[in-house]
Amino acid sequence: MPLNRRTFLESSVAVGAGAALASGVAAAPAQAHGRRPRPVKRYSFTVMGTTDLHGNVFNWDYFTDKEFDDKAHNDVGLAKISTLVNQVREAKGEGNTLLIDAGDTIQGTQLSYYYAKVDPITQAGGPVHPMAQAMNAIGYDAAALGNHEFNYGIPVLRKFEEQCDFPLLGANALDAKTLRPAFPPYSMHRLCTPYGRDVMVAVLGLTNPGIAIWDKANVTGKMVFPGLEEQAAKWVPKLRSMGADVVVVSAHSGSSGTSSYGDQLPYVENAAGLVAEQVPGIDAILVGHAHTEIAEYRVANKETGKEVVLSEPLKWGQRLTLFDFDLVWEKGRWVVERVGAQVLNSNTVEEDPEITGLLVDEHKKVVEYVNQIIGTSTATMATADAPWKDEPIIDLINHVQAETVRAALAGGEYAALPVLSQASCFSRTAAIPAGQVTIRDAAGLYVFENTLEARLMTGAQIKDYLEFSARYYVQTPAGAPVDPAKLTNANGTPDYNYDAVYGVTYEIDIAKPAGERIVNLSFGGKPIDAAAQFVLAVNNYRASGGGAFPHVAGAKQLWANSDEIRNTIIQWVKAKGTIDPGQFASVDWKLTRDGTPVF
């Protein structure tokens, strides 16, 4: 896409004398002979930031059909953020503020899913995406692209971009053919000071290189995603030469310096800290992607020694970052004298009625949609213990996946091969109730828009796959007490990167070190044949290399489906009418220590 798709230079609303209220004029004390020095010109402004909104407008959980709540009593949604933004603008003066986002905006709730798939924004005369409506009304100035922006395909993303009154930035989202930015790399914002000397603030947007893996099917041959450090080093000097007094980076990339995809890409997934360290000329970085809360984190640039301030405001609209800048006029230019960061908690305010009123009809449509009854269940199933026990609710996902792949391969070259399946516990609060089952119950098992594939694997590769997955557990000696709350997520491994494999039986000896834990791996009641071939039903995230599991990304693809796995589950329940765990659930894996079951 040509660079002139959207005009990069944008000006904030000019303010009059009221702007002086947020800026101080300091005069030095009188000197001898009655001469006074010129007053020092100072100006202060605030950049507000959100990230990983993931389709949250209302403080509502569509999977539980009630107001959102968690153990920390966080609230979510842009309606809450809007109230905080209004308060900051009133305190600082609207002309002395900017509002930006660090990506992952249009995926994550049934609200965002509905307007991508059920009543899509891409259809002729289709609706305006609720996230675009809300962010336009709140008055965002710019937003970086997140990796989940690509989940529904580029056409949906382009339509969303068209509906936004602010630019979607991605300096390292390049057209695959021209290697030119496919989206605006940056935006420029003019803040008017009381001195007739405006402040130019540049916002540089950077997205995640992992898109090339995680959404391979949507971007291959269309876009490429080089490293954040490389592109920041290219653009920051340009922004300074264009007159930027302040450079803020909005990066959909965590600050840990690690990558979940290992060495599959030559670019770092969580590179925000590296950008601060390696690229001179940056004043602050709004961090996203990692879903963590970092109020303020300072990184010294290796070349200049200057501290760069980073802040990550958690996720889902739970926090709002404030970067407070103090500038001083020196030698004919504005110079950043101080930067500080803090986060505001959205659970301290009420929802903005303007935002909730704007989208009340869309909200009602989605609530009605997710509460449609699709079948019944003979028993209650829940994921609460699924991270450490083989639970029927995860067996349900695996059973549906295996059955779907088996039917897809029927009559073909690989029809006789046994089909295994992998699934993760995406939510520890998902449940299928006894009695009536709704769309939201089934969809709650699979909160991501993953699709299903079939890959050809050997018995030895399945063993390696399971060993890699078992890193998830903290090594616990035989005889030592076991606290489930402290047993999982070793070395920061998230729940979605622990896979249970269905169709084989095995034990995970958590007394042993990672890499040596899989015991008694069997198929059909016999030790698994290392050379035997199996079909693995696997989601596209894992098949594309997400989580860096061994072998699967390079394994032969036998089949792939474009429909989301959660829709496959919903359609399966509709077709069966009744979910009976007795027909598919069994304890195929368990945690042990020296042969003794842990639970």
Side-chain angles (χ1 to χ4, degrees), residues 397-442:
I397 299 172
N398 273 320
H399 180 71
V400 172
Q401 292 181 166
E403 196 173 270
T404 302
V405 166
R406 202 173 288 116
L409 298 180
E413 178 183 356
Y414 301 97
L417 291 181
V419 178
L420 313 180
S421 178
Q422 62 79 222
S424 303
C425 177
F426 291 134
S427 167
R428 297 192 182 196
T429 58
I432 298 292
Q436 292 181 336
V437 177
T438 63
I439 284 178
R440 65 178 172 84
D441 296 325

Side-chain angles (χ1 to χ4, degrees), residues 55-62 64-70 73-81 111 316-318 346-347 349-352 355-356 363:
N56 285 282
V57 174
F58 297 83
N59 186 40
W60 192 259
D61 186 338
Y62 292 96
T64 61
D65 199 30
K66 60 185 179 183
E67 186 174 292
F68 178 88
D69 194 22
D70 62 14
H73 301 299
N74 288 303
D75 288 346
V76 299
L78 277 169
K80 292 265 185 172
I81 290 295
L111 180 70
W316 304 348
Q318 294 177 350
S346 67
N347 72 7
V349 297
E350 298 298 319
E351 293 182 314
D352 183 348
I355 303 303
T356 55
H363 176 66

Side-chain angles (χ1 to χ4, degrees), residues 219-294:
V219 301
T220 297
K222 300 173 183 177
M223 293 186 193
V224 294
F225 304 88
L228 285 82
E229 309 97 305
E230 167 194 323
Q231 294 300 304
K234 173 182 176 180
W235 285 102
V236 171
K238 290 185 179 182
L239 297 176
R240 290 292 184 180
S241 69
M242 291 167 60
D245 301 296
V246 178
V247 173
V248 177
V249 174
S250 183
H252 193 76
S253 180
S255 58
S256 66
T258 62
S259 299
S260 67
Y261 41 72
D263 60 0
Q264 294 177 88
L265 293 174
Y267 313 115
V268 177
E269 176 184 353
N270 296 299
L274 297 175
V275 171
E277 188 178 78
Q278 297 177 17
V279 182
I282 298 170
D283 297 295
I285 300 180
L286 178 66
V287 179
H289 184 62
H291 289 204
T292 57
E293 181 178 348
I294 305 174

Side-chain angles (χ1 to χ4, degrees), residues 314-333:
L314 202 52
K315 63 184 187 297
W316 304 348
Q318 294 177 350
R319 304 288 186 271
L320 176 70
T321 278
L322 303 186
F323 291 108
D324 293 311
F325 290 85
D326 294 330
L327 277 59
V328 62
W329 182 262
E330 288 181 354
K331 299 179 181 179
R333 58 188 288 266

Side-chain angles (χ1 to χ4, degrees), residues 24 48 69 71 97 99 126 136 139 173 358 363 403 405 550 589-590:
M48 298 175 280
D69 194 22
K71 292 179 180 179
T97 64
L99 176 60
N136 289 342
L358 178 69
H363 176 66
E403 196 173 270
V405 166
W589 65 270
K590 57 189 173 184

